[in-house]
């Protein structure tokens, strides 16, 4: 074998190694793809997704779709071929991992945060819908997530209303944090919680985790409603971005007639108790998901308007929205005349 031939073989081997490295080594990016849509006005396992007790409910025709995105998880290996596939897919997106996840975030911690955000979002959506209907809602402190394996697991439950800890009234989530921080190691804290309409006393002993005392709950804001409303969304869907669509579905269920006019409507956006609509991630993928599901109208949060350039909505109309009240008005206008002028992302007025 000549020296030139040997050098060529070595070069080919090195090139093969480089290609294998490029193909299989994980890269610090995250991919976004359109996910499934969920009609919140539909049934799940034979029961309505929106459940009401203590007030008449109206179940009418039409669809109000929440939209989702498939996002690669914090610990998922994303390789060059996967990035190229997403890059050349007009409905997908690629983002640096650091812009989506914290450096130490894991699949487990991401799931817990997402589940807690969904619990809070559901309660806030109920509050927004009832506020739109003129009902009074009072904020309370509740458990929005419980970490498996920590002391509160099996003792406190999601949506337990936190009333007192060691006899002291709980006015906000920080009161719970302060009580745990001040606890004596090895001594139980006594929580008075309201669960299923009854007051229950629960003892939980904090334990040290990474140098801090913890009991393993996330306290957050809930609401004291005049009657019970719940939204039964699958556990594998999380985050706060369905707030607007849940609030509209609850509003529709609590009012006679259909705010959709029997049509297929989709949208996205966080919601506040006062009904203000906030931005979400993956707006282009959510518009694509709604388009592919056959939606006729999509509600776009005003603060996401800058991110919809280049997305193809097909025959689906896009309507800009800033509040739940404005969304209700938009739906009424569109149902009355599908060709009517609607607020768009080109508008500057709210």
């Amino acid at each position: 074998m000549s020296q030139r031939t040997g050098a060529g073989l070595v070069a080919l081997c090195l090139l093969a190694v480089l290609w294998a490295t490029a193909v299989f080594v994980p890269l610090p990016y995250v991919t976004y793809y359109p996910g499934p849509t969920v009609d919140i006005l539909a049934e799940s396992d034979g029961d309505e997704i929106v459940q009401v007790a203590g007030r008449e409910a109206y179940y009418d025709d039409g669809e109000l779709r929440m939209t989702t995105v498939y996002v690669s998880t914090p610990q998922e290996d994303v390789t060059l071929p996967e990035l190229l596939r997403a890059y050349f897919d007009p409905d997908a997106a690629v983002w640096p991992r650091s812009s989506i996840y914290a450096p130490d975030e894991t699949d487990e911690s991401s799931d817990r945060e997402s589940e807690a955000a969904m619990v809070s979002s559901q309660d806030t959506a109920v509050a927004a819908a009832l506020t739109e209907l003129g009902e009074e809602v009072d904020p309370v402190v509740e458990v929005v997530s419980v970490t498996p394996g920590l002391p509160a697991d099996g003792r406190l439950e999601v949506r337990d209303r936190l009333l007192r800890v060691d006899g002291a009234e709980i006015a906000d989530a920080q009161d719970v944090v302060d009580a745990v921080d001040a606890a004596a190691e090895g001594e139980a804290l006594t929580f008075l919680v309201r669960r299923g309409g009854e007051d229950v006393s629960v003892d939980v002993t904090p334990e040290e985790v990474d140098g801090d005392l913890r009991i393993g709950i996330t306290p957050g804001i809930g609401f004291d409603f005049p009657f019970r409303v719940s939204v039964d969304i699958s556990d594998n869907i999380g985050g706060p971005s369905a707030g607007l669509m849940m609030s509209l579905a609850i509003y529709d269920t609590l009012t006679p007639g259909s705010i959709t006019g029997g049509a297929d409507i989709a949208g996205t956006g966080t919601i506040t108790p006062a009904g203000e609509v906030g931005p979400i991630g993956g707006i282009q993928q959510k518009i694509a998901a709604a388009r592919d599901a056959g939606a006729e109208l999509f509600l776009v949060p005003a603060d996401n308007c800058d991110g919809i350039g280049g997305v193809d909505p097909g025959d689906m109309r896009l309507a800009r929205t800033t509040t739940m009240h404005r969304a209700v008005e938009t739906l009424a206008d569109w149902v009355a005349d599908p060709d009517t002028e609607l607020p768009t992302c080109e508008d500057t007025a709210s």
Side-chain angles (χ1 to χ4, degrees), residues 28-117:
Y29 291 91
V30 171
T31 58
Y32 275 57
Y33 285 95
T37 66
V38 178
D39 174 21
I40 309 175
L41 296 179
E43 294 184 355
S44 177
D45 297 327
D47 295 319
E48 299 287 346
I49 290 178
V50 178
Q51 291 284 322
V52 179
R55 185 67 60 93
E56 187 172 1
Y58 305 89
Y59 296 105
D60 307 301
D61 294 335
E63 299 178 15
L64 284 170
R65 294 182 179 274
M66 58 175 282
T67 48
T68 66
V69 174
Y70 288 121
V71 186
S72 46
T73 61
Q75 294 176 285
E76 185 176 344
D77 290 341
V78 178
T79 59
L80 180 60
E82 292 164 331
L83 288 178
L84 291 174
R85 176 186 166 220
Y87 181 79
F88 288 107
D89 185 334
D91 293 331
V94 174
W95 290 91
R97 185 190 183 281
S98 59
S99 68
I100 306 299
Y101 297 119
D104 58 349
E105 193 161 351
T106 65
D107 291 353
E108 183 181 29
S109 65
S110 178
D111 286 344
R112 283 200 305 270
E113 290 175 12
S114 185
E115 290 165 7

Side-chain angles (χ1 to χ4, degrees), residues 171-185:
D172 54 42
Q174 189 61 42
D175 290 339
V176 179
V177 176
D178 292 343
V180 173
D181 287 343
E185 189 172 356

Side-chain angles (χ1 to χ4, degrees), residues 145-148 150-153 214-218:
S145 74
V146 179
T147 303
L150 289 185
D153 186 17
R214 298 183 185 175
I215 60 172
I217 67 168
T218 301

Side-chain angles (χ1 to χ4, degrees), residues 230-244:
S230 61
V231 184
D232 184 17
I233 300 295
S234 172
D235 290 341
N236 47 1
I237 297 177
S241 65
L244 171 62

